[in-house]
Structures are given as C-alpha cells and as structure tokens.
C-alpha cells in the first residue's frame, strides 16, 4: 500500500464536522427535528457515514434542518469542503432543492446585516 493509498483510506474515516458541534446539535435537535437516535449514530449521520439506525427528519422540520446544515457548513474549512458537505448531506437526506436555496439566501442576508457585537458561529 502506498502512502497516497493510506492517506486516502485514512481520510475516509476522518470527521468533517467537529465532534463538539455534532454533540451540541444532538442535544438541541435530537427527538425534536430528528427522531430519537443514539449520539454515535448522530455523529456518523452528520459526517455522512453509515449509521446503525436510520436518522429520520421529523415531518415539517426540513426547513429547520436546512438552516442547521447551512450553519454547520460555514464552520467547515476549507470553504469548498463545507459547500460539498452541505450538498451531499441534503442530497443523501432527500431534502428538496427548493428548500435548500431559501435558507442559504436568508442566512447570507442575516450574516451580511448582522448587528455589531453579536458573535458569529464559527
């Protein structure tokens, strides 16, 4: 196995979303926006990895999940990886394209018009 192969195999197991952020979202959203799931399954779900049990978005919660995905994507560096992660997440979770665009525009406007002194989530 070459060094490049090993690096590629290792990167497949690295987390894209920070563990602390995953656990914060888990505490807030588990059994609210998502059906109840274990913490380890939720972390895998957020990092687009296989889960022991399917994570289901509750009815009428797609828009909130889109806002969450957009906010999380802003924390991923480099920025291009955040955009790719968000698109993959929404595609794998079968969230409609129309819903994907509305939160991004709204959050971009909120970000641009943010009041001074209000901290930014990063």
């Amino acid at each position: 196995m070459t060094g490049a192969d090993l690096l590629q195999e290792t990167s497949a197991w690295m987390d894209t979303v920070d563990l602390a952020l995953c656990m914060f979202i888990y505490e807030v959203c588990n059994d609210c926006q998502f059906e109840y799931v274990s913490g380890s399954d939720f972390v895998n779900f957020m990092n687009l990895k296989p889960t022991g049990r399917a994570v289901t978005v509750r009815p009428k919660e797609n828009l909130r999940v889109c806002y969450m995905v957009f906010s999380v994507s802003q924390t991923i560096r480099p920025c291009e990886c955040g955009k790719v992660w968000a698109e993959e997440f929404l595609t794998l979770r079968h969230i409609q394209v129309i819903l994907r665009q509305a939160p991004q525009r709204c959050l971009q406007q909120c970000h641009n018009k943010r009041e001074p002194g209000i901290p930014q989530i990063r």
Side-chain angles (χ1 to χ4, degrees):
M1 177 178 275
T2 68
D5 291 335
L6 182 60
L7 181 60
Q8 198 169 29
E9 185 176 326
T10 304
S11 69
W13 290 102
M14 292 176 61
D15 288 341
T16 303
V17 181
D18 181 64
L19 178 61
L21 180 57
C22 286
M23 294 314 297
F24 175 76
I25 294 168
Y26 173 77
E27 291 295 322
V28 173
C29 297
N30 191 37
D31 215 19
C32 294
Q33 279 69 40
F34 304 100
E35 297 293 335
Y36 179 80
V37 67
S38 71
S40 58
D41 277 343
F42 189 80
V43 170
N44 286 337
F45 168 77
M46 291 294 293
N47 284 289
L48 308 176
K49 295 178 181 177
T51 59
R53 179 177 166 217
V55 179
T56 307
V57 177
R58 287 199 165 174
K60 300 183 182 181
E61 293 296 330
N62 279 347
L63 190 57
R64 284 192 182 105
V65 172
C66 284
Y67 282 113
M68 180 214 54
V69 168
F70 180 76
S71 296
V72 169
S73 74
Q74 300 298 297
T75 68
I76 299 171
R77 295 290 177 259
C79 293
E80 295 76 31
C81 290
K83 291 176 186 175
V84 169
W85 173 85
E87 285 298 316
E88 285 293 313
F89 186 95
L90 294 172
T91 301
L92 289 172
R93 305 307 172 232
H94 307 293
I95 297 174
Q96 296 175 356
V97 175
I98 295 169
L99 289 177
R100 285 189 246 169
Q101 295 169 353
Q104 290 178 347
R105 277 197 304 268
C106 183
L107 284 175
Q108 273 308 111
Q109 290 172 356
C110 291
H111 175 71
N112 292 338
K113 294 179 182 178
R114 191 170 52 92
E115 293 181 31
I118 297 176
Q120 199 174 352
I121 298 175
R122 291 240 177 222

